[in-house]
Amino acid sequence: MNDIDAVSPVAAPHAPSTDTVPGLLAEIEAIGADRLRGGYSRPVFSAAELELREWFIAHATKRGLDVEIDPVGTIRAWWHTPSRTMTGAVLTGSHLDSVPGGGAFDGPLGIASALVAVDLLRARGFVPEKPLVVAAFPEEEGSRFGVACLGSRLLTGAITPERALALRDNDGDTFAEVLTRNGFSPEFVGPDVDGVRAFDSFVELHVEQGRALVDHDAAVAIGSSILGHGRWRASIRGEGNHAGTTLMSDRRDPMVAAARAIQTIRDAARTTPDARATVGRLQPVPGGTNVIASRVDFWIDVRHPDDVVTAALVESIRNALALIAAEEGCEAELTEESFSATTHFDTALRGTLESLLPDAPVLDTGAGHDAGVLASLIPTSMLFVRNPTGISHSPEEYTTDLDAQLGAEKLADVLQGLLVA
């Protein structure tokens, strides 16, 4: 990879750790706990996410893995072969950041499972013939800068450095400014296509997001595809004014237009088979209780397995926004912030996983992941660990200790098969 700084490399292999996945997750259960929302809020480069990064580095170093960090903050921990070759490496891992008020497993489960998989392989006496890299990708959720999988998008060239560095968080800080404050140099941010292509494959373990494994009576599934999805920001501009002195007939209230639009978006998705459309974030400006807003911004998440249908649904939403805004004396604008086409994981790699885990069902997912972004350059696949309720992006997200540990064992089985030259 380009412009990577090594962090405390430890070359000598250590004895197998006795850590378990539930034990590792217990170590971080207080980090980023959100007293207001419940669950966890761990936006990228927040105090909570920085503490998790240190936790990951400490555990990687404990295992004798060589740790390096790229210019956008991706952490990679290398388990080298005896010859210390750097090519043909197998990549695994996930992310450490969360959505606001998210669950305990989305992201960290994949990191903890990868670390324990290393332990299990060593306990088996396995010596890799290819390097193994455990990675933690930054800003996977996009909860701080609005673009999901920002780290992997930058690496693959799916977003330009200029656009990424100019992204702003809710406090008005740009991604470039946040990187600088955390010791990174924005001038080194950019794609590393050759570096990504040097990896042999990527297998990402993740908590199940949806409820299918319960019905299959299975603890672990193999991923087949990721639903196409994107984010759009709607801005409705009206006229800010006083709540007490402005007659109802004289108002150009963007909040009313936004309320009507949100219901219309729901109805449009309901009448489109297999579509999902969600408004989960709304921001009035200036946001006072006794103030008619001058502008309302809200964000729309749209998903469908057919990208053509997604585009048509978004266009219908755009037209509806313009009409509703005009009826309320306002103006509307819809801007795409990110889009990922429907991704079908590499057929050959999936076949290998099916041969290694013959009892695992094969499932698609409606959630986006770094594996979907990296799939444009290297073979990728995913493992899902059973979530009995199917609830995710919520404090109620759950998997049992037994399933969490079993997921790491299945990941170890997969990695053992992939790490043979």
Side-chain angles (χ1 to χ4, degrees), residues 194-360:
D194 290 340
V196 175
R197 284 181 173 151
F199 289 109
D200 184 75
S201 57
F202 176 43
V203 178
E204 180 175 2
L205 180 143
H206 205 280
V207 68
E208 181 186 18
Q209 295 177 292
R211 184 183 176 278
L213 280 169
V214 167
D215 296 332
H216 284 277
D217 192 26
V220 177
I222 297 167
S224 62
S225 61
I226 296 177
L227 212 63
H229 58 282
R231 298 182 185 187
W232 287 261
R233 183 182 67 186
S235 293
I236 301 180
R237 296 180 180 274
E239 183 176 71
N241 215 326
H242 195 290
T245 61
T246 309
L247 298 177
M248 300 303 291
S249 58
D250 292 339
R251 299 187 178 202
R252 296 168 50 209
D253 190 343
M255 186 67 82
V256 174
R260 290 180 56 193
I262 291 168
Q263 185 169 7
T264 299
I265 291 164
R266 180 202 63 179
D267 294 342
R270 279 182 169 178
T271 56
T272 305
D274 298 322
R276 289 92 152 152
T278 306
V279 176
R281 179 182 168 203
L282 183 145
Q283 186 173 312
V285 179
T289 304
N290 59 346
V291 179
I292 301 168
S294 59
R295 187 181 86 243
V296 174
D297 296 330
F298 57 94
W299 283 259
I300 311 167
D301 181 300
V302 181
R303 304 178 188 230
H304 192 276
D306 186 335
D307 299 332
V308 173
V309 176
T310 301
L313 179 56
V314 171
E315 191 60 27
S316 72
I317 290 171
R318 186 188 309 277
N319 294 335
L321 282 174
L323 178 61
I324 291 169
E327 291 174 350
E328 298 294 338
C330 301
E331 297 177 349
E333 181 181 17
L334 188 65
T335 305
E336 180 184 305
E337 291 199 334
S338 65
F339 178 74
S340 297
T342 292
T343 299
H344 297 279
F345 291 128
D346 184 80
T347 303
L349 179 59
R350 195 181 93 188
T352 300
L353 267 61
E354 290 182 47
S355 67
L356 294 167
L357 304 178
D359 297 328

Side-chain angles (χ1 to χ4, degrees), residues 11-96:
H14 288 192
S17 169
T18 56
D19 287 323
T20 63
V21 175
L24 288 176
L25 293 177
E27 292 178 2
I28 61 173
E29 63 183 359
I31 300 174
D34 193 319
R35 295 182 181 180
L36 178 64
R37 301 180 181 94
Y40 296 90
S41 293
R42 298 160 167 169
V44 69
F45 294 128
S46 64
E49 199 256 3
L50 289 172
E51 190 173 351
L52 291 181
R53 292 166 67 86
E54 291 302 317
W55 166 82
F56 172 44
I57 290 170
H59 271 286
T61 303
K62 168 187 171 183
R63 287 161 172 78
L65 308 183
D66 288 354
V67 178
E68 59 187 20
I69 305 175
D70 75 8
V72 297
T74 311
I75 306 172
R76 299 186 191 88
W78 288 73
W79 182 13
H80 288 288
T81 65
S83 64
R84 296 186 67 85
T85 179
M86 300 292 286
T87 59
V90 174
L91 189 64
T92 190
S94 193
H95 61 97
L96 296 167

